[in-house]
Amino acid sequence: MRVFSGVQPTGNIHLGNYLGALKQFVELQEEGDCIYCIVDMHAITLPQDAKQLRESILDVAALYMAVGIDPKRSIVFVQSEVSGHAELGWILACNSYTGELSRMTQFKQKSKERESAPTGLFVYPVLMAADILLYDTDVVPVGNDQKQHIELTRDIALRINNTYGETFVVPDGRFLKTGARVMALDDPTSKMSKSAENAHSRISLTDDPAKIKKSIMKATTDSEGSVRFDAAEKPGVSNLLSIYSAMSGKSIPELEKYYEGSGYGAFKKDLVDVVVEGLRPIQERFAEIRGSEQLIRDLKDGAERANAIAEPVLKRVKERFGLGL
Ligand code: TYM
């Protein structure tokens, strides 16, 4: 089983990315042949500071490894280091339609505040499809917000297979029950995101204990005062329960029972401890890996290994389309 997924280096990885995606990345190493990418070309679909982008690429790479991705067992690499992504992206762009891309909710959201959106933002899902299809991927572990992009990837692959003959493996998304959609702490009706202005809306994997405490203690709840899961009526508390459950391994009913009769204060305090203690080993490993020479060596080695898989796939695609000599 070939597994592929990616994270944008547009800011620090947060609990949503971790619980929705990275935790799966680590687990899947036991089951498949995994390729994890830092998608820097996706990051430039919106303006980035060059220096900051380079730092973020290394931050994400080091965090991948700090959470437990083994760069020897899996392939960890930076997207722009393998030129096949851009090449296949173009071929797929010629086989996708402006109508289907206009329906992508992430594009609609991100382009909403702009008079004119960059073309790259519009074709973003096509490049994502190229990332996945370039490696004959079977499974794509992601959070719920990527569902529509995975569907589009499948549609494009099937369309090309039907028109040009068997060319691509048609991939499946993999979503977790708990953690697939972690909500913002200050507004549990929108998802936790790297780009939200309020830093207390999220917990980044590198946040110190004081920041974690402040963000959780400030998190939006409700006036009922009972710790129970009800996503519709109690989105704030339900989100905190999901985070607690995913970080501690305790089930939500178990937590509801334990906190029966106690208020939000005690519950939140315990959650602070669970998150701080859960992130501590990750942060320790991150500090070691981030400044090491080995990190760059691992990424270069990863790009070579990725390229070795991508090249024959790209060759096959070009043949099907009659491209080149
Ligand atoms: P990105 O960088 O926004 O997020 C990385 C991963 O984290 C998941 N995620 C969440 N999961 C739960 N709750 C949240 N609040 C939350 N926020 C983010 C995302 O679903 C994702 O799995 N388009 C992708 C990057 C990408 C990609 C790919 C992924 C590019 N090419 C190929 C898979 C395969 C993105 O923007 O992820």
Side-chain angles (χ1 to χ4, degrees), residues 5 8 16-17 21 124 128 131 142-143 145-146 179-180 182 192 194:
S5 198
Q8 291 195 68
N17 304 131
Y124 176 116
M128 176 161 164
D131 298 340
V142 278
D145 61 337
Q146 298 301 316
V182 176
M192 186 177 283
K194 297 190 200 107

Side-chain angles (χ1 to χ4, degrees), residues 8-14 17 43 46-48 106 109-110 113-114 145 184 186 190-202 204:
Q8 291 195 68
T10 45
N12 262 337
I13 291 186
H14 53 66
N17 304 131
L46 288 175
Q48 302 293 333
Q106 216 155 65
Q109 274 158 12
K110 288 191 177 169
E113 295 111 32
R114 295 156 198 272
D145 61 337
D186 62 337
S190 55
K191 67 166 187 176
M192 186 177 283
S193 92
K194 297 190 200 107
S195 55
E197 233 163 78
N198 180 7
H200 290 295
S201 68
R202 63 184 163 265
S204 294

Side-chain angles (χ1 to χ4, degrees), residues 60-69 281-287 289:
V60 173
L63 279 168
Y64 268 178
M65 296 172 195
V67 300
I69 295 169
I282 295 175
Q283 296 183 350
E284 285 170 2
R285 282 194 294 273
F286 174 75
I289 298 165

Side-chain angles (χ1 to χ4, degrees), residues 119-276:
T119 309
L121 194 62
F122 187 62
V123 295
Y124 176 116
V126 175
L127 181 60
M128 176 161 164
D131 298 340
I132 297 167
L133 300 179
L134 189 57
Y135 298 94
D136 285 340
T137 303
D138 299 298
V139 173
V140 189
V142 278
N144 269 355
D145 61 337
Q146 298 301 316
K147 234 176 201 161
Q148 205 185 18
H149 291 160
I150 305 286
E151 273 310 308
L152 179 78
T153 302
R154 291 172 54 88
D155 289 346
I156 296 173
L158 285 166
R159 179 181 302 149
I160 291 175
N161 285 352
N162 287 335
T163 313
Y164 295 89
E166 213 52 34
T167 308
F168 293 119
V169 172
V170 182
D172 284 305
R174 186 179 190 269
F175 312 92
L176 291 177
K177 274 208 194 82
T178 306
R181 192 170 174 80
V182 176
M183 308 309 282
L185 298 178
D186 62 337
D187 171 15
T189 59
S190 55
K191 67 166 187 176
M192 186 177 283
S193 92
K194 297 190 200 107
S195 55
E197 233 163 78
N198 180 7
H200 290 295
S201 68
R202 63 184 163 265
I203 292 171
S204 294
L205 297 197
T206 50
D207 278 352
D208 62 39
K211 154 71 176 60
I212 294 171
K213 185 171 180 196
K214 199 160 176 197
S215 301
I216 291 179
M217 296 317 280
K218 278 165 81 97
T220 303
T221 49
D222 53 60
S223 55
E224 191 200 38
S226 75
V227 180
R228 70 186 172 81
F229 192 93
D230 181 340
E233 297 298 321
K234 296 165 69 67
V237 173
S238 303
N239 187 41
L240 295 179
L241 269 169
S242 298
I243 294 174
Y244 198 141
S245 169
M247 290 298 290
S248 66
K250 293 187 175 131
S251 73
I252 289 177
E254 206 179 321
L255 293 171
E256 286 175 328
K257 194 146 186 266
Y258 185 79
Y259 288 103
E260 212 175 278
S262 61
Y264 296 149
F267 167 65
K268 281 182 162 181
K269 260 202 195 123
D270 289 351
L271 178 58
V272 171
D273 290 341
V274 166
V275 173
V276 168

